[in-house]
């Protein structure tokens, strides 16, 4: 378990350093708290601390919110691998004049390999091609048909995506002496007449307070980090576009647009990649348009906008038959 955990941790530190750091700090705080409880109740010592760390890691692998860490899901926590009907994909591609790549290229399935012979008697060489990405980075299709499309876009919520986690993390450090003091105060309050002051119990109470209060602050910081980096759901129907929690009348909208650029957050970067910042999403609505509170990776923003507008144009579109039986014929009315 130890080797697998370390490998997973290092891989996540390369792809999502901020989230992984908060994840590790939260788990360490919880394990220290459980170790202190075991030591106080059973006098387990270092054995209880080791058991607490092992238990926290095992429990974490069973929590779906942490799948992004254990399963190496990029972009966020929790990409949904929902199967999409190939027939629906083909109809949507035809409706939006964006034919399926596989159908045009004539290549075999992405997971298959193509064999090439070097000469008549030469060795057989197997070439594996890269898988063709079906959607832009940070996006996924939940449902798509002629009448409805449901998409998910990895986003951050401007301002709160960095302010809330940073503030709560700073409060976690401030909470260490405050928690120790509160633990000591609570211990003094429990001393009744006839009981003598015990320094060991006082130190234990202060230690528990110094662990519990920062652990709560770090837990809140982690939850805020996840909350303000959501997988935003976009629902498109012939009459409506719902982007997150806002609904727009489609007859007044011409699709999504790119807004202003900001460096207040990063999405999908690692230590070896550049810092591209995030871009605000806008929706054409009426004469002027509307700013949305969601921001996407600036590097992939143009692709996301083009992809989303193609799907918007394809939902509810009247598809003209490829072969019109009445073409070139004059219909006589009696």
């Amino acid at each position: 378990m130890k080797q697998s955990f370390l490998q997973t941790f290092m891989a996540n530190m390369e792809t999502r350093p901020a989230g992984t750091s908060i994840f590790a700090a939260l788990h360490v705080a919880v394990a220290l708290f459980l170790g202190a409880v075991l030591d106080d109740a059973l006098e387990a010592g270092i054995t209880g601390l080791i058991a607490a760390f092992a238990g926290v890691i095992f429990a974490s692998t069973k929590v779906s919110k942490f799948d992004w860490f254990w399963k190496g899901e990029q972009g966020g926590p929790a990409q949904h691998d929902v199967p999409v009907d190939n027939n629906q994909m083909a109809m949507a591609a035809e409706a939006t004049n964006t034919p399926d790549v596989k159908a045009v290229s004539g290549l075999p399935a992405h997971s298959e390999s193509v064999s090439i012979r070097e000469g008549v008697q030469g060795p057989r060489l197997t070439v594996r091609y890269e898988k063709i990405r079906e959607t832009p980075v940070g996006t996924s299709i939940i449902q798509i048909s002629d009448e409805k499309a449901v998409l998910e876009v990895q986003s951050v919520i401007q301002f709160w995506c960095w302010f809330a986690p940073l503030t709560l993390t700073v409060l976690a450090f401030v909470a260490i002496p405050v928690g120790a003091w509160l633990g000591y105060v609570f211990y003094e309050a429990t001393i009744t007449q006839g009981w003598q002051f015990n320094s060991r119990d006082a130190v234990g109470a202060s230690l528990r307070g110094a662990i519990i209060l920062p652990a709560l602050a770090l837990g809140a910081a982690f939850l805020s980090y996840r909350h303000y980096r959501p997988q935003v759901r976009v629902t498109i129907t012939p009459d409506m576009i719902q982007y997150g929690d806002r609904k727009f009348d489609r007859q007044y909208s011409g699709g999504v647009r790119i807004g202003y650029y900001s460096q207040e957050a990063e999405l999908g970067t690692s230590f070896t990649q550049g810092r591209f910042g995030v871009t605000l999403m806008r929706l054409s609505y009426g004469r002027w348009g509307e700013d949305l509170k969601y921001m996407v990776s600036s590097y992939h923003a143009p692709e996301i906008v083009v992809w989303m507008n193609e799907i918007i144009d394809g939902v509810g579109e009247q598809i003209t038959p490829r072969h019109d039986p009445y073409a070139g014929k004059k219909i006589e009315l009696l």
Side-chain angles (χ1 to χ4, degrees):
M1 176 185 294
K2 182 178 180 182
Q3 184 179 5
S4 177
F5 174 78
L6 290 178
Q7 291 177 349
T8 304
F9 179 78
M10 294 305 297
N12 280 281
M13 280 298 294
E14 292 183 358
T15 57
R16 304 183 61 183
T20 304
S21 300
I22 297 177
F23 173 89
L26 176 64
H27 283 59
V28 169
V30 174
L32 289 175
F33 170 72
L34 293 178
V37 171
L38 291 176
D39 182 58
D40 186 63
L42 305 176
E43 296 185 357
I46 189 65
T47 303
L49 186 61
I50 295 175
F53 270 97
V56 168
I57 293 176
F58 177 76
S60 176
T61 60
K62 305 300 181 181
V63 179
S64 58
K65 292 289 186 180
F66 299 147
D67 284 348
W68 65 270
F69 180 87
W70 297 109
K71 297 181 180 179
E73 297 180 357
Q74 301 295 328
Q79 296 278 350
H80 298 278
D81 296 329
V82 179
V84 180
D85 189 355
N86 292 330
N87 295 329
Q88 294 179 351
M89 287 291 293
M91 294 174 63
E94 183 179 354
T96 57
N97 295 324
T98 54
D100 190 6
V101 177
K102 289 191 291 184
V104 173
S105 62
L107 294 175
H110 305 317
S111 59
E112 296 179 0
S113 61
V114 180
S115 299
I116 303 175
R117 286 189 177 275
E118 294 183 349
V120 179
Q121 303 295 333
R124 190 177 183 86
L125 178 64
T126 301
V127 178
R128 292 188 177 274
Y129 295 104
E130 290 291 334
K131 181 180 179 181
I132 298 177
R133 188 179 296 277
E134 296 180 354
T135 65
V137 174
T139 64
S140 60
I141 298 177
I142 305 301
Q143 174 187 347
I144 189 167
S145 65
D146 294 337
E147 298 299 323
K148 184 177 181 180
V150 180
L151 319 173
E152 279 193 347
V153 183
Q154 182 188 7
S155 309
V156 298
I157 298 179
Q158 53 181 329
F159 178 72
W160 294 106
C161 63
W162 65 267
F163 179 78
L166 179 62
T167 303
L168 291 170
T169 302
V170 173
L171 288 177
F173 290 98
V174 177
I176 295 176
V178 175
W181 176 75
L182 289 176
Y184 179 79
V185 170
F186 289 153
Y187 170 74
E188 277 192 329
T190 59
I191 298 177
T192 58
Q193 188 175 4
W195 286 72
Q196 293 184 349
F197 180 84
N198 188 308
S199 59
R200 183 179 183 275
D201 293 340
V203 171
S206 297
L207 180 61
R208 285 191 292 272
I211 292 176
I212 294 175
L213 200 59
L216 293 176
L218 287 176
F222 175 77
L223 292 177
S224 67
Y225 180 88
R226 299 288 296 166
H227 178 73
Y228 293 115
R229 284 169 169 76
Q231 294 287 336
V232 180
R233 180 158 293 195
V234 183
T235 303
I236 305 161
T237 66
D239 303 320
M240 174 198 70
I241 297 177
Q242 181 175 353
Y243 203 115
D245 54 358
R246 301 180 66 183
K247 295 182 180 180
F248 301 90
D249 190 340
R250 188 171 167 185
Q251 65 176 327
Y252 300 114
S253 176
V256 293
R257 302 289 186 265
I258 291 179
Y260 63 82
Y261 165 80
S262 174
Q263 290 185 326
E264 60 184 328
E266 294 290 338
L267 281 174
T269 60
S270 66
F271 290 119
T272 59
Q273 294 178 339
R275 300 293 173 178
F276 305 106
V278 288
T279 297
L280 185 74
M281 296 295 285
R282 287 178 50 84
L283 186 71
S284 172
Y285 199 63
R287 292 185 64 185
W288 314 120
E290 291 289 335
D291 285 340
L292 304 171
K293 64 181 180 181
Y294 305 105
M295 309 184 81
V296 300
S297 171
S298 295
Y299 185 68
H300 302 291
E303 298 176 354
I304 294 175
V305 167
V306 172
W307 167 76
M308 195 177 298
N309 284 332
E310 287 178 349
I311 295 180
I312 291 174
D313 293 340
V315 174
E317 182 183 22
Q318 297 295 330
I319 302 177
T320 304
R322 184 169 297 181
H323 303 288
D324 187 358
Y326 295 100
K329 295 182 181 180
K330 182 179 180 179
I331 300 178
E332 297 182 359
L333 301 177
L334 299 178

